Amino acid sequence: MKKIRRSDFMKALDSNWYKSIWGLDIKEQSWVQDTENQVDFIVKTLELTGNERILDLACGFGRHALSLARRGFQITGVDITKEFIQDAIQNAESEGLKAQFINSDIRDLHFANEYDVVLNLADGAIGYLESDEENLKIFDVISNALKPGGKHFMDICNAQHAEQYFPVQYWDAGESTLSVSRFEWDDKKRIMLYGDATIVYGEAAKKPDIAYGAPQRLYSIDEINEIWKQRGMQVMQTFSDYYGKEASYKNLQLMVSSRKL
């Protein structure tokens, strides 16, 4: 992931940073190694049977979509980064998986009552866009794409946690890498500024240079509830991790399971 300096923060908020910041080096992040556990949790929480048609928005290089395809689900993955989609298609073809991948801005999608499940995982581009108005268009796409009774699952960062605890640094030890992250908070704009660095095991360690990256609009549970209420959807469950821990302002991660009425 490309980075920006702290002095470029305000400039980044007005740019299309999300169109060019990503690369396949993201595969080195420690949290990628938790993909199968995440998919297990989603299948269990949403009580999926295997027959559902699923739309994975901002699917990245398809790690969740490919896992779901291996389990027999009908899956469509969408991402704005061409390199990600090319990699996902190549992996699907090499495994003989029936998975469709589309290179597109989410706002350009026009699905209507077509999917049983929609996913926005690892942020799923929620809060990435240029303004509150643009960010809300993603919620419109989600609610429009779902069939009545359809389910949505999102994995985002909790604005209430940011308000209470930022600025802060975290670390996460994976099987092959150590990820170090730094977070700051613009309370007026409700924007999180994030930076990270990866240390690979077995290589000579250097002091990590944590430069700043993606500025992201965060939401609280109350905000999510209101957004979905306005779009004919209802929040069913909220969590703080992929093991079922109850959602709380004490935890940065926020998972929300919802249903279209």
Side-chain angles (χ1 to χ4, degrees):
M1 184 187 296
K2 300 174 185 176
K3 308 294 169 55
I4 58 177
R5 297 185 304 275
R6 181 67 177 85
S7 59
D8 292 330
F9 178 31
M10 296 310 297
K11 179 179 179 181
L13 297 184
D14 298 324
S15 70
N16 295 328
W17 62 268
Y18 55 88
K19 294 183 178 180
S20 60
I21 196 172
W22 312 109
L24 289 173
D25 59 339
I26 200 171
K27 288 185 176 183
E28 298 177 1
Q29 295 285 342
S30 59
W31 40 261
V32 171
Q33 299 160 22
D34 194 45
T35 299
E36 293 306 315
N37 172 61
Q38 293 171 7
V39 173
D40 287 342
F41 183 79
I42 292 165
V43 170
K44 179 181 178 180
T45 299
L46 299 186
E47 300 180 337
L48 304 185
T49 65
N51 298 316
E52 290 85 359
R53 190 179 180 202
I54 301 176
L55 176 63
D56 186 2
L57 296 177
C59 67
F61 58 90
R63 62 190 180 100
H64 297 101
L66 292 170
S67 176
L68 288 161
R70 294 184 193 106
R71 301 171 191 227
F73 289 95
Q74 301 177 59
I75 185 77
T76 300
V78 181
D79 202 277
I80 199 170
T81 302
K82 187 175 182 179
E83 184 179 15
F84 282 168
I85 293 300
Q86 291 174 333
D87 189 71
I89 290 173
Q90 181 179 353
N91 285 315
E93 290 178 347
S94 68
E95 295 185 45
L97 299 174
K98 294 182 179 179
Q100 179 184 14
F101 291 97
I102 301 171
N103 182 208
S104 175
D105 187 311
I106 291 174
R107 290 167 291 184
D108 294 334
L109 301 176
H110 300 286
F111 298 119
N113 302 317
E114 296 183 42
Y115 287 92
D116 301 293
V117 177
V118 177
L119 304 175
N120 289 80
L121 306 177
D123 297 333
I126 290 175
Y128 284 13
L129 305 181
E130 298 84 355
S131 65
D132 276 350
E133 292 75 19
E134 292 302 307
N135 281 315
L136 288 174
K137 289 180 180 179
I138 293 182
F139 293 94
D140 292 331
V141 169
I142 294 165
S143 57
N144 289 335
L146 283 170
K147 299 175 182 178
K151 301 172 182 178
H152 179 253
F153 189 95
M154 71 172 74
D155 169 11
I156 59 176
C157 291
N158 192 336
Q160 290 172 293
H161 180 85
E163 292 170 341
Q164 293 288 328
Y165 295 103
F166 285 6
V168 70
Q169 290 189 176
Y170 294 116
W171 61 272
D172 180 45
E175 293 300 320
S176 59
T177 61
L178 176 71
S179 295
V180 184
S181 305
R182 175 164 43 197
F183 301 85
E184 292 196 21
W185 179 245
D186 183 320
D187 188 61
K188 183 177 180 180
K189 294 181 177 293
R190 299 185 67 75
I191 294 288
M192 175 181 77
L193 193 60
Y194 166 77
D196 75 323
T198 299
I199 300 172
V200 180
Y201 301 154
E203 296 183 1
K206 298 180 181 179
K207 183 179 179 180
D209 178 18
I210 307 178
Y212 287 94
Q216 181 183 354
R217 183 7 173 136
L218 300 190
Y219 298 90
S220 66
I221 295 174
D222 288 343
E223 287 178 295
I224 295 295
N225 270 309
E226 184 59 29
I227 288 169
W228 280 147
K229 182 178 179 181
Q230 294 174 5
R231 288 161 178 78
M233 292 185 60
Q234 181 180 15
V235 171
M236 305 301 293
Q237 295 175 284
T238 59
F239 308 95
S240 286
D241 63 23
Y242 279 101
Y243 297 94
K245 183 178 181 181
E246 184 179 357
S248 167
Y249 73 90
K250 295 181 180 180
N251 299 103
L252 175 59
Q253 203 166 17
L254 173 63
M255 289 85 153
V256 183
S257 168
S258 308
R259 180 173 62 90
K260 185 173 181 178
L261 301 175

